[in-house]
Amino acid sequence: MKKVVIIGGGVSGLFSAYYLNKLNYDVTIIDEYNFDYGCSHGNAGLVVPSHIIPLASPSIIPKAIKWMFNSKSPLSFYPRLNKDFISWCFNFLKHANNKHVNNSIIPLRDISFLSSSLYKEVSEESSNSFGLTNKGLLMLYKNEKTAEEEIELAKLSNKYEIETKILSKSEIQNLDPNCKYDVIGGVHYLSDSHFTPNNLISSLVENLKSKNINLVSNEVIRKIKFSSKHIRGVSSNKNTYEADSFLFASGVWTSELLKNMKINIPLMPGKGYSFNIDQKNNFPTYPSILVDERVAVTPMNGFLRIGGNMEIDTINHKVRTSRVESMIESFKKYYPELNIEMPIEENIWHGLRPCSPDGLPYIGNSKLYSNLFIATGHAMLGMSLGPATGKLISEIISDQKTSVNVEAYNPERYN
């Protein structure tokens, strides 16, 4: 039985183990924490074939400039005299053009549809332990300019077989009559779905344990032993691990781990925040994104999760409470009858999303090292693309034909 060591116990690592196990691989997952920490847990829990436009796009540049020095803006860059940061920003600007957007639509659509179908399969296998719900996603807006942009995007989505409905305020209200909406309209993406991420991760971990997959927690990989074209093993602060194949799925830390091997994986952490409030009868029952404010609102198992923000910065765990205050203000604008309070800081989750400069994930094998595989760079789509990432990695490691074309996700495209 061939052995695979996975570095990183987030959703990509867990799903990779899940699908490799189905192919009869002996899998070990190593994580710095207890498999109950990281970007996966505070996620908005959305599966979004609707998201076919990468972060690096022409429309984001003027918004980023406008928001850069606003402490309550949904997107911010914190300039640093740091080689990696400057290089990442240069590549981001280089890809923020229409040609790149057009080239990214099909790769993002295909992997999202694959993930959506796999989520349904996993849901059936687990008796829907994580509450997968197929109600679509509402993109809500409050001003005419945003409405025009979203309607154009909806028309573009339809051309790529992503089903949408453009709704008036009254149609949205009829869709969810117990909740009061203050919007001028929205777009309903019918292919999207949502679930409770905490329950998914718990279910996956229990599933993997039941199949005797070795889950190693509280170990940090310190050293990679490699020859000219092959990884021989990895060492943590406690142990050394050898295997036939090694998958690096350690989020934003993947880049630093592979630097000594001359592999360039440009990544910057995009810090996001979320918090939960107890669900009530007059709360929304449909997941939504408040487009003007870039805030996600997701009904989950007994609570409502509000999440958002994208702080492009170096790795740090500073919680900027002004961001959360802004999210609450935004929520009240769209749901005027719902009074929510600022959570205490210890109840504010934050995570460092691994962002590639072109807005596409890194999924695939290394050309420099025959047994090295990489899965990271999903930014805000990590949870949404988890099953597809795991499935594709299992196919690549086992040398099968992949379910979708993976060329656009080449992990060494910046080498």
Side-chain angles (χ1 to χ4, degrees):
M1 185 182 291
K2 289 188 175 182
K3 293 184 178 181
V4 180
V5 166
I6 299 173
I7 297 93
V11 68
S12 293
L14 293 173
F15 267 118
S16 295
Y18 178 85
Y19 286 108
L20 285 165
N21 174 260
K22 288 178 178 286
L23 297 176
N24 205 33
Y25 280 84
D26 178 0
V27 183
T28 295
I29 312 177
I30 305 167
D31 195 80
E32 183 177 354
Y33 300 101
N34 288 313
F35 297 94
D36 58 358
Y37 183 88
C39 287
S40 302
H41 288 267
N43 191 276
L46 301 173
V47 184
V48 284
S50 57
H51 284 39
I52 57 173
I53 305 299
L55 182 62
S57 64
S59 63
I60 203 67
I61 301 302
K63 292 175 182 176
I65 294 170
K66 175 184 174 183
W67 289 333
M68 183 176 292
F69 301 105
N70 183 347
S71 64
K72 293 188 175 183
S73 65
L75 171 67
S76 57
F77 288 77
Y78 290 89
R80 295 284 189 271
L81 289 176
N82 173 287
K83 181 182 176 182
D84 292 338
F85 184 89
I86 292 169
S87 175
W88 188 96
C89 289
F90 173 79
N91 279 306
F92 179 83
L93 291 170
K94 179 181 174 182
H95 286 94
N97 58 71
N98 287 321
K99 181 181 178 181
H100 172 67
V101 169
N102 292 335
N103 289 339
S104 301
I105 289 175
I106 289 178
L108 287 173
R109 180 202 65 178
D110 288 354
I111 193 173
S112 287
F113 272 133
L114 173 62
S115 217
S116 184
S117 65
L118 292 173
Y119 262 123
K120 291 173 185 175
E121 291 179 7
V122 174
S123 171
E124 291 169 3
E125 289 178 12
S126 68
S127 302
N128 201 12
S129 59
F130 52 99
L132 182 69
T133 305
N134 304 112
K135 298 182 76 169
L137 174 68
L138 296 175
M139 305 293 286
L140 302 175
Y141 38 76
K142 289 179 66 71
N143 72 64
E144 294 293 345
K145 187 176 185 302
T146 305
E148 291 174 7
E149 293 173 354
E150 289 301 312
I151 289 169
E152 283 303 310
L153 181 55
K155 292 176 180 177
L156 177 67
S157 298
N158 287 334
K159 290 180 181 178
Y160 286 92
E161 301 176 353
I162 299 167
E163 190 179 0
T164 67
K165 284 186 178 179
I166 299 168
L167 303 178
S168 65
K169 177 180 180 178
S170 61
E171 288 172 323
I172 291 169
Q173 198 61 71
N174 291 336
L175 201 63
D176 201 10
N178 291 330
C179 179
K180 175 71 173 178
Y181 289 80
D182 185 4
V183 295
I184 64 171
V187 176
H188 192 189
Y189 282 85
L190 302 175
S191 301
D192 292 12
S193 52
H194 70 283
F195 59 90
T196 305
N198 314 59
N199 294 352
L200 172 74
I201 299 300
S202 298
S203 176
L204 268 178
V205 168
E206 289 306 311
N207 177 282
L208 297 178
K209 286 180 178 177
S210 72
K211 294 175 178 175
N212 296 318
I213 288 174
N214 187 21
L215 278 73
V216 179
S217 59
N218 300 307
E219 289 195 23
V220 182
I221 296 302
R222 304 287 193 195
K223 187 177 180 181
I224 304 171
K225 300 177 182 178
F226 59 94
S227 58
S228 58
K229 294 183 179 180
H230 193 80
I231 296 179
R232 293 185 284 114
V234 294
S235 297
S236 74
N237 51 322
K238 298 178 182 178
N239 297 295
T240 296
Y241 300 88
E242 296 180 348
D244 299 287
S245 301
F246 294 84
L247 169 63
F248 285 79
S250 46
V252 73
W253 291 273
T254 304
S255 179
E256 201 64 33
L257 278 170
L258 297 177
K259 264 186 180 178
N260 289 339
M261 301 174 67
K262 308 301 181 185
I263 295 178
N264 182 27
I265 308 286
L267 285 170
M268 275 293 133
K271 189 187 299 174
Y273 302 97
S274 73
F275 61 95
N276 304 330
I277 51 178
D278 292 337
Q279 180 73 280
K280 297 180 182 178
N281 291 335
N282 63 338
F283 275 29
T285 60
Y286 278 76
S288 63
I289 291 181
L290 317 181
V291 181
D292 300 289
E293 321 287 348
R294 296 296 194 276
V295 172
V297 178
T298 314
M300 294 187 180
N301 184 21
F303 60 92
L304 194 71
R305 176 163 292 169
I306 302 173
N309 274 272
M310 177 68 86
E311 294 180 8
I312 304 296
D313 199 352
T314 51
I315 294 175
N316 69 77
H317 293 282
K318 180 179 181 180
V319 174
R320 295 180 170 91
T321 55
S322 60
R323 304 282 179 191
V324 181
E325 290 169 356
S326 177
M327 288 159 56
I328 292 174
E329 291 168 7
S330 300
F331 181 88
K332 290 179 179 179
K333 290 177 185 176
Y334 285 76
Y335 305 100
E337 293 186 354
L338 303 181
N339 185 30
I340 62 171
E341 297 179 355
M342 179 73 180
I344 58 175
E345 188 167 324
E346 63 192 55
N347 290 337
I348 298 172
W349 172 92
H350 73 280
L352 305 178
R353 310 180 190 100
C355 298
S356 67
D358 58 13
L360 293 169
Y362 301 110
I363 304 170
N365 59 303
S366 169
K367 301 297 184 291
L368 299 177
Y369 301 90
S370 59
N371 62 340
L372 167 62
F373 302 85
I374 296 163
T376 187
H378 297 75
M380 293 181 290
L381 300 179
M383 185 64 78
S384 180
L385 301 182
T389 299
K391 178 74 169 175
L392 292 170
I393 284 292
S394 72
E395 292 168 342
I396 294 166
I397 289 178
S398 60
D399 202 25
Q400 298 180 33
K401 182 180 179 181
T402 54
S403 299
V404 299
N405 187 337
V406 297
E407 185 180 354
Y409 323 129
N410 175 13
E412 292 177 344
R413 59 187 181 266
Y414 289 99
N415 266 28

